[in-house]
Amino acid sequence: MKILSKVILTIMILSFFTSINLNAQKMQSDNGDGTYTNPVIASDFPDPDVILVDDTYYMVNTTMFIFPGVTVLKSKDLVNWEYCSNAVQRFDFSRCYNLDCCSRYGHGQWATSLKYYNGRFYLLFITLDEGGFICSATKPEGRWKITRLPKGFYDPGLFFDDDGRIYVAHGYSEIHMTELDKNFAPITEDSLIIKGDIRRGLEGTHVYKINGYYYLYCTYGGLDGIQVAFRSKNIYGPYEEKVVMSEETHGPNFGIHQGALIKTQTGEWWTMLFVDSGPFGRFPSLQPVTWVDGWPMVGIDGHAVVKYKKPNVGKVYPIKVLPTSDEFETKTLGMQWGWNHNPEPTKWSLTENPGYLRLKTVKIVDSLQKARNTFTQRIIAYYSDSLASIAATKMDFGKMKEGDVAGLAVFQDPYAFIGIKKVNGKNFIIMVNNGKTIDSSAVEGSTIYLSASAIYGSGAAHYFDGKAAPGTGTASFSYSLDNQSFVNIGDVLNMRFNLKIFTGNKFCLFNFPTKETGGYVDFDWFRTSAGLITSTGK
């Protein structure tokens, strides 16, 4: 066994190893006293678009190559969110989504426009390789129909005008406007309406009509993002521009940008934007909006809020916490789960061994990045620098084949995992860091408990595509044969948010073959909790 390098971390894993339980609000924005704390969800829900239909708010996010994906959340108060649906169950428009000799890391479904018109919900998005797509449904919790469009629109802002005409604003650095027919095909040429003049990277356009003005709500993206609004009496312009938020204070709202304007039932105005928050991904942040001289100014006194009073929606609603743990006792997957690229449906099951998730090997590969049926979940941060996000699982590995590798990972680029590898008929517990086996030891039996501890804190340094920014990004791994005494193994993963992947680090369950197919493992449960972090040395 190797001691963790540089800093030895003692992590007290609380709720699934002892009866101690931390206050669930530590992973929830709602403070329980009429206030909330940003981020409104401390996890990877980027590129938000939010609408209000009747008394319910709906928010869509980017999931890229994860399916089921194109996640839609719902809320009654803009603070407490729950899963509504994953609109796209799988994406069968390229073999790359099956990890068939290629991949869609860093690609796939991008910033999506969410609208409700004449009794139907619409999701308009682009993939950089396959083009434009529209999803529609009468009930957002139900099945969505997906249609490939003849033309794609970068970061589209779908808009239904008062006279029934349909438009989309789109583009990068230069924003164009295009009129569409009822099938969302273009009926006009792309008209250039705005050239970003602050810097390159104007994108993320959302379109609104408010008090006789057309507003384009856009961002100059990046780690130090800037949120801007444009307005005109004519949808084709000319447009005036106004910076409505440029947060340069380092902290949970640094560079806040890209999202939606929202009007509540009581007439308040809010915006849901996001913040590049390091290796856990891009976190949504809810900000008040004040109209000044016809411009939607974000935050208070030019700064984004961290703790603030909740929106007035006419009622008070209970606190909700997004699900993470899973006992695998149902016949369907929880909506917190998604597969790394399309799954092979015949190679996993919740029913062959009831109460377990069975992962069968799919295709011989040489690394986790290429493995089919890798089962993923966003990592949710706690609202405390002293708490780590912990995942643990119980795995039965008695039916693995020679060369199989199965276990628990923290996945981005770089990635690391702990698991069992079968070599020459023997089982070894291994820790792999970015493709390199750091530690290995033979184990007996057929059951093992695996744990991954991901540490996120605003006080240290993480890396966003190689650039230092507030927050930490480390993960470590341990295992147990009895679920009582856990042994650290390997070294520390220094997590990053690498644009080659473009999603936050995720907890993953996996099983891939390197020699032959036909093996399988059974996961009894997957449980998350908080761990207290204490430093015990250098």
Side-chain angles (χ1 to χ4, degrees):
M1 181 186 74
K2 293 186 178 180
I3 300 297
L4 302 184
S5 61
K6 295 184 180 179
V7 178
I8 302 172
L9 296 172
T10 299
I11 301 178
M12 184 183 298
I13 304 172
L14 297 178
S15 69
F16 44 75
F17 301 131
T18 76
S19 60
I20 301 172
N21 187 27
L22 294 175
N23 187 341
Q25 291 186 50
K26 292 182 184 296
M27 62 178 295
Q28 169 58 36
S29 173
D30 197 321
N31 297 315
D33 60 0
T35 68
Y36 71 97
T37 299
N38 276 313
V40 75
I41 308 174
S43 193
D44 192 33
F45 291 90
D47 305 330
D49 197 4
V50 181
I51 61 172
L52 172 63
V53 179
D54 298 326
D55 65 346
T56 303
Y57 297 88
Y58 297 93
M59 176 166 61
V60 68
N61 301 100
T62 292
T63 53
M64 291 197 173
F65 53 87
I66 300 295
F67 298 99
V70 193
T71 299
V72 179
L73 303 171
K74 62 183 178 181
S75 173
K76 294 293 187 179
D77 61 6
L78 287 171
V79 172
N80 292 284
W81 292 90
E82 59 186 314
Y83 287 106
C84 177
S85 63
N86 286 302
V88 179
Q89 295 301 299
R90 58 183 296 121
F91 199 74
D92 292 314
F93 295 93
S94 167
R95 70 178 190 176
C96 294
Y97 290 95
N98 296 329
L99 289 174
D100 183 4
C101 301
C102 51
S103 74
R104 283 293 180 256
Y105 291 122
H107 288 222
Q109 170 253 355
W110 283 54
T112 299
S113 183
L114 170 61
K115 293 295 181 183
Y116 179 78
Y117 183 72
N118 279 353
R120 293 193 70 86
F121 292 82
Y122 295 95
L123 298 168
L124 178 63
F125 65 86
I126 190 175
T127 73
L128 297 185
D129 302 277
E130 292 78 34
F133 295 84
I134 190 84
C135 298
S136 64
T138 55
K139 294 183 178 180
E141 298 85 356
R143 181 177 293 275
W144 291 76
K145 177 184 177 183
I146 184 170
T147 303
R148 191 172 189 172
L149 300 177
K151 179 179 174 63
F153 306 98
Y154 183 90
D155 277 13
L158 183 62
F159 177 69
F160 295 89
D161 208 344
D162 299 336
D163 58 5
R165 296 169 75 175
I166 307 171
Y167 300 90
V168 59
H170 55 98
Y172 179 83
S173 290
E174 296 183 347
I175 305 302
H176 294 79
M177 187 70 70
T178 307
E179 187 173 356
L180 308 177
D181 65 18
K182 64 179 181 180
N183 296 314
F184 303 96
I187 57 177
T188 65
E189 297 294 322
D190 299 339
S191 298
L192 177 62
I193 56 173
I194 295 169
K195 286 187 176 181
D197 57 5
I198 294 179
R199 67 185 191 201
R200 281 188 55 78
L202 182 66
E203 59 183 345
T205 306
H206 298 252
V207 185
Y208 305 94
K209 193 174 186 179
I210 304 168
N211 295 331
Y213 278 97
Y214 294 94
Y215 286 87
L216 306 187
Y217 196 54
C218 309
T219 182
Y220 292 89
L223 186 62
D224 57 345
I226 302 169
Q227 190 66 17
V228 296
F230 299 86
R231 70 181 183 188
S232 174
K233 289 285 188 177
N234 189 301
I235 198 166
Y236 289 103
Y239 280 89
E240 307 171 78
E241 180 179 17
K242 179 78 171 179
V243 174
V244 297
M245 170 53 63
S246 180
E247 182 56 86
E248 298 178 353
T249 303
H250 283 275
N253 287 313
F254 174 73
I256 183 172
H257 66 282
Q258 191 165 341
L261 283 171
I262 311 143
K263 184 179 181 181
T264 70
Q265 306 94 313
T266 61
E268 292 183 351
W269 283 88
W270 295 79
T271 183
M272 189 74 80
L273 305 173
F274 78 83
V275 180
D276 290 303
S277 300
F280 280 19
R282 297 172 290 166
F283 297 176
S285 180
L286 179 66
Q287 298 293 325
V289 168
T290 303
W291 287 87
V292 179
D293 297 327
W295 294 104
M297 305 306 296
V298 176
I300 300 297
D301 297 328
H303 291 284
V305 301
V306 178
K307 184 178 180 180
Y308 196 67
K309 62 183 178 180
K310 292 169 59 178
N312 178 8
V313 295
K315 294 181 181 179
V316 176
Y317 291 93
I319 292 175
K320 292 184 179 295
V321 179
L322 292 176
T324 52
S325 299
D326 200 331
E327 299 298 310
F328 302 126
E329 293 178 345
T330 64
K331 295 182 179 181
T332 58
L333 296 177
M335 281 189 283
Q336 72 268 33
W337 292 105
W339 302 96
N340 180 1
H341 292 68
N342 287 331
E344 168 50 57
T346 65
K347 299 298 184 180
W348 70 273
S349 176
L350 289 168
T351 58
E352 287 186 15
N353 186 6
Y356 292 80
L357 169 69
R358 175 163 293 178
L359 293 184
K360 304 177 183 180
T361 56
V362 182
K363 180 182 178 182
I364 295 171
V365 294
D366 59 8
S367 67
L368 180 62
Q369 302 104 312
K370 301 174 184 178
R372 294 289 304 275
N373 284 21
T374 297
F375 199 44
T376 81
Q377 181 177 143
R378 300 169 184 87
I379 302 176
I380 297 181
Y382 287 83
Y383 289 78
S384 170
D385 288 354
S386 63
L387 296 177
S389 298
I390 313 293
T393 189
K394 178 184 177 183
M395 184 177 76
D396 184 330
F397 56 89
K399 298 297 183 180
M400 293 177 70
K401 296 285 190 179
E402 181 69 20
D404 287 0
V405 185
L408 171 65
V410 173
F411 186 81
Q412 226 267 357
D413 183 6
Y415 68 91
F417 66 78
I418 185 174
I420 296 292
K421 183 173 184 179
K422 199 173 192 71
V423 181
N424 296 327
K426 294 182 179 181
N427 299 309
F428 291 82
I429 180 74
I430 63 173
M431 187 273 175
V432 172
N433 195 332
N434 205 30
K436 181 180 179 181
T437 300
I438 304 299
D439 209 344
S440 176
S441 180
V443 294
E444 301 294 333
S446 61
T447 300
I448 197 163
Y449 301 84
L450 307 173
S451 177
S453 307
I455 301 171
Y456 179 95
S458 60
H462 74 243
Y463 291 89
F464 175 83
D465 200 36
K467 298 178 181 178
T472 68
T474 60
S476 56
F477 299 84
S478 60
Y479 71 95
S480 174
L481 299 178
D482 59 8
N483 202 24
Q484 297 297 321
S485 176
F486 274 72
V487 179
N488 291 334
I489 184 173
D491 60 5
V492 170
L493 168 67
N494 292 306
M495 294 185 291
R496 292 179 59 204
F497 185 94
N498 193 324
L499 298 182
K500 293 179 181 178
I501 303 295
F502 225 139
T503 60
N505 279 262
K506 288 181 168 59
F507 289 132
C508 301
L509 302 178
F510 65 91
N511 180 25
F512 65 87
T514 65
K515 300 293 186 182
E516 58 179 308
T517 59
Y520 65 84
V521 294
D522 286 335
F523 292 96
D524 190 356
W525 42 257
F526 175 92
R527 297 171 185 166
T528 67
S529 190
L532 293 176
I533 306 166
T534 60
S535 177
T536 61
K538 293 184 179 179

